[in-house]
Amino acid sequence: MFESRSSRLPSPRVLFTPADLAPGRTLCIRLALVLALLSGVILVLWLDRAGLRDQLDGDISFSDVVYFTMVTVTTVGYGDIVPVTPRARLIDALVVTPIRVVVWFVFLGTAYQLVIRRYMEAYRMAKLRAGLDDHVIVCGFGYTGFSAVKELLAKGVPPERILVIDPEERRVRAAVELGVVAFQGDATQEAILQDAVLEKARALIIAAGRDDTNALILLTARYLHPTLRIIVSAQEEENVKLFRQGGANTIVSPATFGGYILAAAVDHRHLVDYLEDLLTAGGRINLVERAVKPEEVGKRAVDLKPDVLLRVYRGETVLTLWDLQEREVLRTGDILVLLQPARPAYEPM
């Protein structure tokens, strides 16, 4: 599904995953395993009870076997009951000792999952929250989210400023392989977006793969951060207006745009190559949107060479290339759309 990682990308970051969603079930399974192992040891020792000696009365009862099993497996070993025959000692060495190791691993694994892991996850999540600022959050790591992350990295966005959220572990691991921060979770929940430090984010890309899920994430994010820039992927064109009403700043419909490009390619065989060159970081030219710089105020479009000024957004007014060829000059607050020679397009806010 995913392409191999480029050699220039940094090593993977820590994978943040939630605690086990069913700790009770896991605990029951492990408890059943321990009981089965202990029962097996009790059965084996009971059948070979003649090889055991009770230092107190010399008699080995069933309760003595249960007692000996527990003190042996838990490594307490009081020494009041001991194996005295070669076969009993071999059973203790080759059967009881491996089972003892397995039981201890089960105990330690359970303690880690139910107690230690939660503290570690809380610590790592707190460290993540403290380090995130001016970052891009990508909700959904299917084909669209994967392509968006790869292009952000190619454009020079630092990997530590990209955070991926996806409910599927395999996708989270694939995101970590690209070097970005990622954790498993449902982005429609407020707590997950808060863990992603939504209030400090630069932008939110929503590409969960379903329009209904995208809408829930959009509404939740807009409620938490009324001014955040949100870009939404729309699967169905009829949902574009709903996303716009929900507060999305930009709505992209991959299917619709793909249809436009396919139709245009019928008569313009080089158009697709040019658009790919224009939109990707690997091209020879970049399409860039930025605010006018103080030293550019009062200048005309021709004064921005080698950059080519295509459009200016001035409040509610849009000035096209032909408008800019007249006497129009740049003003404070203008937003420029330019063509420029290929160079890193990422500029921290």
Side-chain angles (χ1 to χ4, degrees):
M1 174 178 176
F2 301 106
E3 300 178 10
S4 60
R5 179 177 56 185
S6 172
S7 59
R8 66 183 179 83
L9 294 176
S11 58
R13 295 295 186 273
V14 177
L15 173 65
F16 290 92
T17 56
D20 187 4
L21 300 180
R25 179 182 178 185
T26 301
L27 183 60
C28 290
I29 293 175
R30 293 180 179 180
L31 181 60
L33 174 62
V34 171
L35 292 176
L37 291 174
L38 292 176
S39 299
V41 173
I42 291 172
L43 177 61
V44 171
L45 293 178
W46 174 250
L47 295 176
D48 192 56
R49 60 187 179 279
L52 301 177
R53 176 183 296 172
D54 190 335
Q55 305 283 28
L56 298 178
D57 56 15
D59 181 50
I60 297 294
S61 64
F62 182 75
S63 62
D64 290 333
V65 172
V66 175
Y67 164 76
F68 178 69
T69 298
M70 299 306 296
V71 298
T72 301
V73 171
T74 58
T75 68
V76 175
Y78 292 113
D80 49 349
I81 299 177
V82 295
V84 294
T85 65
R87 185 170 64 180
R89 290 172 179 170
L90 284 175
I91 290 174
D92 184 74
L94 301 180
V95 177
V96 178
T97 297
I99 289 177
R100 179 189 303 128
V101 173
V102 171
V103 169
W104 275 106
F105 270 117
V106 171
F107 284 154
L108 292 175
T110 302
Y112 168 75
Q113 183 172 11
L114 299 182
V115 181
I116 300 174
R117 182 181 176 182
R118 294 194 177 188
Y119 284 106
M120 292 180 63
E121 288 296 328
Y123 168 76
R124 289 190 291 180
M125 190 60 69
K127 186 176 180 181
L128 168 70
R129 290 175 58 86
L132 285 175
D133 186 26
D134 192 38
H135 55 294
V136 179
I137 302 173
V138 180
C139 296
F141 201 69
Y143 291 108
T144 303
F146 170 72
S147 299
V149 170
K150 267 195 80 178
E151 188 61 24
L152 287 170
L153 290 170
K155 288 182 178 295
V157 180
E160 63 272 14
R161 288 191 175 179
I162 301 175
L163 172 62
V164 170
I165 305 174
D166 196 281
E168 295 188 23
E169 183 177 347
R170 65 182 180 86
R171 291 182 173 181
V172 173
R173 293 186 180 277
V176 173
E177 284 298 314
L178 286 179
V180 303
V181 180
F183 64 86
Q184 187 178 353
D186 183 0
T188 63
Q189 299 178 2
E190 289 187 21
I192 296 297
L193 293 178
Q194 289 170 344
D195 284 340
V197 199
L198 189 72
E199 67 275 11
K200 294 183 180 180
R202 180 184 187 183
L204 173 66
I205 296 176
I206 303 176
R210 290 173 53 99
D211 282 353
D212 53 353
T213 305
N214 288 345
L216 285 174
I217 298 173
L218 169 62
L219 294 175
T220 304
R222 185 54 75 204
Y223 170 76
L224 294 174
H225 196 326
T227 61
L228 177 66
R229 177 167 178 76
I230 301 179
I231 303 99
V232 182
S233 172
Q235 301 299 312
E236 301 291 339
E237 187 175 2
E238 63 183 15
N239 293 325
V240 170
K241 59 181 180 297
L242 299 178
F243 289 140
R244 185 170 291 110
Q245 292 174 355
N249 299 100
T250 302
I251 301 123
V252 178
S253 178
T256 302
F257 273 91
Y260 293 159
I261 295 173
L262 289 172
V266 172
D267 296 319
H268 307 282
R269 58 178 182 167
H270 299 299
L271 179 62
V272 176
D273 291 336
Y274 180 77
L275 290 176
E276 185 177 2
D277 190 358
L278 186 67
L279 296 176
T280 58
R284 290 170 292 180
I285 56 174
N286 285 337
L287 185 63
V288 178
E289 177 182 330
R290 63 170 176 83
V292 65
K293 299 177 181 179
E295 62 270 20
E296 295 171 339
V297 174
K299 292 184 177 181
R300 297 178 302 165
V302 294
D303 299 326
L304 299 180
K305 292 182 179 180
D307 296 348
V308 178
L309 184 59
L310 300 178
R311 181 170 288 190
V312 172
Y313 291 88
R314 182 174 295 162
E316 299 297 326
T317 303
V318 178
L319 303 177
T320 65
L321 177 63
W322 293 272
D323 298 324
L324 298 169
Q325 289 176 346
E326 303 298 329
R327 298 181 179 180
E328 194 67 48
V329 297
L330 300 178
R331 303 178 188 176
T332 302
D334 285 349
I335 301 297
L336 314 182
V337 177
L338 309 108
L339 282 178
Q340 59 181 209
R343 58 177 180 260
Y346 178 72
E347 297 180 2
M349 295 180 66

